Structures are given as structure tokens and as C-alpha cells.
Amino acid sequence: MKLHIQNNFTAELPADSSEINTPRQVEKACFSYVTPKQPSNPLLIHASTEVGDLIGLSPEDIASNDFLNTFSGKRIYPNTKPYALAYAGHQFGNWAGQLGDGRAINLTEVVHNNQSFTLQLKGAGPTPYSRTADGFAVLRSSIREHLCAEAMHYLGVPTTRSLSLMLSGDEVLRDILYNGNPAYEKGAIVCRVAPSFIRFGSFELFYARNDRANLKSLTDFTIKHHFPTIESEGIEKYLDFFQEVTNTTLDMIIHWQRVGFVHGVMNTDNMSIHGLTIDYGPYGWLEDYNPNWTPNTTDRQNKRYRFGNQPEIALWNLYKLANALYLLINDATPLESILNAYSVDYQKKYLDMMRNKLGLNIEKEEDAILVERLTELLQLVETDMTIFFRNLSTIKKQDTAEIAFEKIKISFYNEKDLTEFILNNWCNWLDYYSKRLQQETVTDEERKEEMNAVNPKYVLRNYMAQLSIDAADKGDYSMVNELFELLKKPYHEQPDFEKWFAKRPDWARDKVGCSMLSCSS
Ligand code: AMP
Ligand code: MG
């Protein structure tokens, strides 16, 4: 197994002068060198051959002992020196001070096909940033991260990737619901892959300490290596950088809203500077369309990170990043105008995205009302978001409201909930919709194809992930494999997998792991 090693980050940015691996404050450094804990009996559960290919590894490499040892943290790859990142952040709206990679260890950077990647183990043991926690991860959360990161990629949502999922062979103690019932669970390690793991919180760390010199070094480094299209100098350079981060963050959020993904913990330390979905913890997928839903039990009270609030929170987080960069820019006005434009851009991009979901190519002013009415209707009774939009593509221009209704009826969780009032409202909307379709130039067949390319047929429903976890806990990894394969083609019809195009079963409605998750991963 041969990796093409590069170490720009550690070579160009300041290291922690201490290599003592105990929880502590780390000053004037972007990272601390740290060695992964040796797993007692690592076992490869699943690897993504596509991510392997991305970093220059063949299927034979992946099957090798070298791979098992390197990506479980058992041995250090030659000429590399693993490290944990220092960063800070706002958690649930409050300043949390230094956080950092408490259970993540970056192995190295690699280059393949002129692209560079950082390889990071999640769950490979404690670091100086572990605070009071143990630095490990459990099997259930690792399966969730591995499957979802790759599923998101195939859905076309910007995301960090996942190379491998391994058991460590060690046990980890967790209190899943923080209710005084800790239990031992299987420890696991995922290898994540991204251009870098730099977060908004990386910049906030130096800002909070008024460490302008290191803030500048980190920002200059990030722009030089990861934003090569920025050619401006001085203050302009930092503004262009902020504009770019704002754009990519906005695009990511639009994708989340398109597929019904709820991140669950949009703290500023979980916001990638590349606009990639990062840190798959208590995330979830909308089943019934409910903008007020969050899977995260830790956020049950305020629902800060609910589906419908994600665009606002991304903006809030961008304000925090802007605050940090202000230290380099010293002029609030241009930063504010970028932030102000976000809301306007969001409205426009959201409407465009929804038009695509509805198969509307021609822009009509009244589309905003059509979309608004629809999102109101979807909330009247429990309606499955994925099934609804997928089936909407089967509606034809000449369909009557009654015929159209038959095509989407299956997406309602309980048909008995449909009062006459609600039925009438649906019929009105469908009537309006088919008239609106008549103004489009494409054929019904063409539109169906276009709509099916943005409305997935298969997503990683919360109960699906949980079923694969239950089986894996008993040593059966076949479902992890099956879901991984299924979710590689989320927009395709896959008749063999039709059973996964179904509403959430009733048993999963209020089950831990399915609709209720915590940060205890
Ligand atoms: P999260 O909200 O999961 O992104 O985590 C917030 C912070 O807590 C980050 O600094 C993590 O590295 C840290 N953290 C979470 N879980 C653990 C753990 N099991 N051991 C050590 N640090 C952790
Ligand atoms: Mg995190």
C-alpha cells in the first residue's frame, strides 16, 4: 500500500510545543502531535472502494493488513506524524472556548491525481483536546457516519467522505440518553477524508485569544492551499475568502433542505471552511415533512437546529466567522454586506431549488406562492417528504386533481387524518399545479426524468441506519453493505431494493436511535 504523503499543514503552521497527551489549553498553535491509541483487535467492517480510489488505493490495498493497521491506528504510516487540530466554537449559541479534535486524529495529508486530502481517524483515542471525554467512538455512531457521509456524496451534497469503518476490539462506556444508564458498547474507528478539517471554529480560536498573528497565518494558509482561485491581496483577499465560504456554505444548506437532511449539531466547530457537511452525530432525515423537527434530544427544548432553522443558523455561524476575520479586515461594512446578501441569495436559491423539485423550468412570479402553499399543505398531516416528491414526478399535465391525488396519496402516514377540508386544499393545489405544468415546454416524460434527478428515491432513513446497527451489534454486517450499495444510486429505480422506498414503520416513530439521538457518540 503506497500513499503519496504531503504535510503542508504541519510544516507551515505552528505546532503545540508540548507533546504531552493530557487534556489542557493549547496556546499559539494550530495542532498538537498525538499518537492514536493501539486498538486491541481491529477488524475491517466496510471500506469505500471509491474513496480508496480517490486517494490512490486499489481494492487489493484495501484488503491488505497494511490498510487494517494504518486505518485502525495500530501502526503509524512511514514518514507521517499524526496530529489533532486545535479549534474553538460556539455550541448551541454559546461561546464554548477551546474545543479541538477530542476524538479525531489526523494521520497525514496525501496527494493523488493533483488533489490533496487529509486522512483523519475518528475514535482513535484521547488527545489534548479530549477535555473530560475518552476520545473513542462507538459502533452505532461510526456506522451512522460511514453510511451517511457516503450517501450524502452520492446524493450530490457536499460532504466529507468516509474511507473505512473498523471495530477497534475495545469496549467503550456510554450513557446514550444521559439518564444515568451507562453501558459498554463496541468501539469503532472511521477514517474520514476531506481537503482539510479546518472549521469556522479554527478561526474563532485565535480571534478569542486576540492572537492576530496566528489568525493571519491560518487564514493565509487556508487561502493559499484551498482557495487557489483567490488572487487578490491584503484586505480584499480576506473578503474574497469570506465571500467564497459564504457561497459554499449557502449551497450546502440548500442541498440539505432539498433532500431533507437535518444536521442536528450546527455548532460553529462543526462548520467546515469548505462548505462540506461534517461531523455526522445526531443527524436525521425528515420522514414526515416537519420544519420543526430535530433528531437531537440534547436540543429538544429550543430546537435550535431544527430542519427549518438550518438556513438561519448557517448565517448565524457565518457572523461568528466574520467576527473572527474582522481582526484581519478592520472594516465591518464589507463583511456586513456579504452577510446581508446571504438572506437575499438564500431566498432566490431556495426558490430555484424548489422549482427544480417541482419540475418547473420556466420562472413565473407566482411560483413562490405555489411553493409556500405546498410547504404549508405538507404540514397539515404527516406526509413523507421523500415519497411525496418522488411520486410528484408521475403527475401529468392533463391529470385531473383527483387522478393526481391518487399518485401522491401513498405519502400520507395516516389517510384517516385527511379531513374534507384538507382534501379540498390538496385538490386545489394539485389543480393549480397541473395547470402550471401546462405552461412548461418539456413533455411529461422529460420532466419526470428531470425531477427524479433532484428528488431522491432512497435516503438513509433513521430506522434503516438503526436496523443495520442492530444487526452489526450482533456481528452481522450484511445490512451495512446492502445500505451502502443502495445509497450509491439514490436517484435510480432499484426494484430489488423497493422495500426501502417506504414510509417509516410505526415501531420507529419514537424509538431511540431512530427519531431520538444524542451527542453521546
Ligand atoms: P461534537 O459536537 O460531536 O462535534 O463534539 C464537540 C467537541 O467535543 C469536539 O471538540 C469533540 O472532539 C469533543 N468530543 C465529542 N465526543 C468526544 C469523545 N468521546 N472524546 C473526546 N472528545 C469528544
Ligand atoms: Mg465536532
Side-chain angles (χ1 to χ4, degrees):
M1 183 177 84
K2 176 124 186 56
L3 295 167
H4 292 272
I5 299 303
Q6 165 183 282
N7 55 3
N8 291 338
F9 191 89
T10 51
E12 295 179 33
L13 290 170
D16 177 3
S17 54
S18 164
E19 290 190 24
I20 299 169
N21 191 4
T22 50
R24 55 196 162 80
Q25 290 294 304
V26 175
E27 304 278 340
K28 302 206 173 301
C30 287
F31 64 94
S32 304
Y33 286 114
V34 61
T35 310
K37 160 116 183 346
Q38 291 249 327
S40 61
N41 191 16
L43 175 81
L44 177 64
I45 294 179
H46 189 270
S48 162
T49 45
E50 297 76 11
V51 181
D53 194 43
L54 202 60
I55 61 168
L57 298 181
S58 66
E60 292 71 41
D61 290 328
I62 290 175
S64 69
N65 254 333
D66 238 14
F67 184 90
L68 178 72
N69 291 334
T70 304
F71 297 108
S72 65
K74 189 160 181 147
R75 72 143 203 180
I76 306 294
Y77 192 84
N79 302 318
T80 65
K81 197 168 176 188
Y83 56 99
L85 302 185
Y87 54 82
H90 280 82
Q91 297 184 311
F92 298 96
N94 304 307
W95 174 240
Q98 177 186 298
L99 295 166
D101 285 338
R103 57 167 160 187
I105 299 179
N106 303 276
L107 294 179
T108 181
E109 292 168 41
V110 295
V111 187
H112 185 62
N113 286 340
N114 289 322
Q115 280 187 294
S116 60
F117 303 96
T118 299
L119 312 184
Q120 182 189 75
L121 299 187
K122 187 166 174 181
T127 76
Y129 309 97
S130 295
R131 297 179 292 157
T132 56
D134 58 12
F136 297 111
V138 293
L139 180 58
R140 64 183 152 86
S141 359
S142 306
I143 290 176
R144 285 169 49 82
E145 169 126 21
H146 184 66
L147 286 180
C148 197
E150 290 303 284
M152 292 282 267
H153 167 74
Y154 291 105
L155 281 165
V157 184
T159 177
T160 59
R161 305 291 303 269
S162 183
L163 171 65
S164 54
L165 166 66
M166 300 200 185
L167 278 177
S168 63
D170 300 304
E171 297 215 306
V172 177
L173 193 62
R174 284 290 179 276
D175 187 358
I176 299 193
L177 289 179
Y178 301 121
N179 60 1
N181 290 311
Y184 279 102
E185 298 185 46
K186 291 178 184 170
I189 301 159
V190 157
C191 179
R192 309 198 285 194
V193 177
S196 90
F197 290 91
I198 300 169
R199 298 128 191 276
F200 288 13
S202 313
F203 301 85
E204 288 180 278
L205 178 72
F206 296 123
Y207 164 73
R209 292 174 174 169
N210 206 14
D211 183 352
R212 190 179 184 281
N214 279 315
L215 177 67
K216 184 171 186 315
S217 304
L218 175 67
T219 314
D220 288 342
F221 174 91
T222 307
I223 296 170
K224 173 177 156 198
H225 291 288
H226 300 294
F227 293 77
T229 56
I230 295 178
E231 288 176 348
S232 46
E233 294 290 336
I235 288 171
E236 266 323 301
K237 176 170 86 165
Y238 301 126
L239 287 171
D240 288 347
F241 168 61
F242 184 65
Q243 177 70 68
E244 186 100 351
V245 176
T246 303
N247 293 347
T248 52
T249 301
L250 173 54
D251 287 343
M252 172 186 79
I253 298 288
I254 295 283
H255 279 291
W256 290 1
Q257 305 309 99
R258 172 175 65 85
V259 298
F261 176 78
V262 189
H263 182 283
V265 207
M266 289 178 70
N267 294 333
T268 56
D269 55 303
N270 290 339
M271 297 293 291
S272 152
I273 203 68
H274 307 288
L276 300 173
T277 314
I278 191 174
D279 270 13
Y280 291 89
Y283 68 82
W285 293 81
L286 278 195
E287 279 160 341
D288 62 292
Y289 183 87
N290 176 3
N292 289 319
W293 185 70
T294 172
N296 188 354
T297 51
T298 317
D299 193 20
R300 197 186 292 168
Q301 294 291 312
N302 298 321
K303 298 196 191 309
R304 178 179 171 85
Y305 298 140
R306 62 191 184 272
F307 178 71
N309 213 28
Q310 296 188 128
E312 268 302 307
I313 291 292
L315 178 60
W316 193 93
N317 290 340
L318 285 162
Y319 265 95
K320 298 298 154 196
L321 178 62
N323 269 343
L325 295 177
Y326 175 78
L327 203 55
L328 304 177
I329 295 168
N330 269 313
D331 184 1
T333 315
L335 285 169
E336 274 164 9
S337 65
I338 294 171
L339 289 162
N340 291 338
Y342 172 100
S343 304
V344 181
D345 291 349
Y346 174 76
Q347 291 305 337
K348 178 167 184 340
K349 289 191 173 184
Y350 177 78
L351 185 57
D352 287 347
M353 179 273 283
M354 290 302 284
R355 269 200 190 100
N356 290 337
K357 281 180 86 68
L358 293 174
L360 307 176
N361 294 329
I362 300 166
E363 286 186 25
K364 297 268 174 197
E365 219 168 288
E366 61 270 25
D367 291 346
I369 299 165
L370 186 74
V371 167
E372 203 184 308
R373 289 283 296 124
L374 174 63
T375 50
E376 283 164 11
L377 273 176
L378 287 171
Q379 294 171 62
L380 290 183
V381 297
E382 279 191 334
T383 313
D384 194 275
M385 176 180 177
T386 305
I387 297 180
F388 174 81
F389 281 103
R390 189 70 182 189
N391 281 11
L392 199 66
S393 70
T394 61
I395 292 177
K396 300 198 159 80
K397 287 178 184 179
Q398 302 304 336
D399 279 350
T400 60
E402 287 70 26
I403 291 175
F405 185 76
E406 284 303 309
K407 295 178 173 172
I408 52 136
K409 202 168 78 177
I410 182 106
S411 56
F412 299 115
Y413 272 83
N414 195 345
E415 269 187 56
K416 286 208 245 37
D417 295 341
L418 296 165
T419 60
E420 209 176 307
F421 170 79
I422 295 173
L423 279 172
N424 280 340
N425 273 288
W426 269 112
C427 283
N428 286 343
W429 188 86
L430 288 165
D431 207 30
Y432 192 93
Y433 179 58
S434 36
K435 292 212 175 70
R436 175 65 185 79
L437 291 181
Q438 288 163 21
Q439 300 177 320
E440 294 289 319
T441 52
V442 296
T443 65
D444 287 330
E445 236 355 87
E446 287 164 337
R447 185 180 58 261
K448 181 174 177 197
E449 208 168 295
E450 287 170 4
M451 288 171 75
N452 285 353
V454 291
N455 295 319
K457 172 140 183 167
Y458 305 103
V459 295
L460 182 60
R461 289 169 184 270
N462 313 308
Y463 82 91
M464 292 162 64
Q466 188 57 37
L467 286 175
S468 75
I469 289 166
D470 291 342
D473 247 337
K474 299 190 190 94
D476 175 1
Y477 308 120
S478 56
M479 223 178 125
V480 171
N481 273 296
E482 177 178 335
L483 293 183
F484 192 92
E485 291 307 313
L486 166 76
L487 296 167
K488 270 195 211 171
K489 291 183 176 160
Y491 299 104
H492 283 61
E493 296 294 325
Q494 299 184 59
D496 289 348
F497 288 131
E498 195 67 20
K499 67 174 180 210
W500 298 125
F501 182 61
K503 286 173 278 195
R504 169 202 61 216
D506 228 30
W507 60 260
R509 176 185 281 268
D510 297 309
K511 192 176 178 318
V512 174
C514 296
S515 63
M516 296 204 294
L517 294 137
S518 73
C519 295
S520 80
S521 47

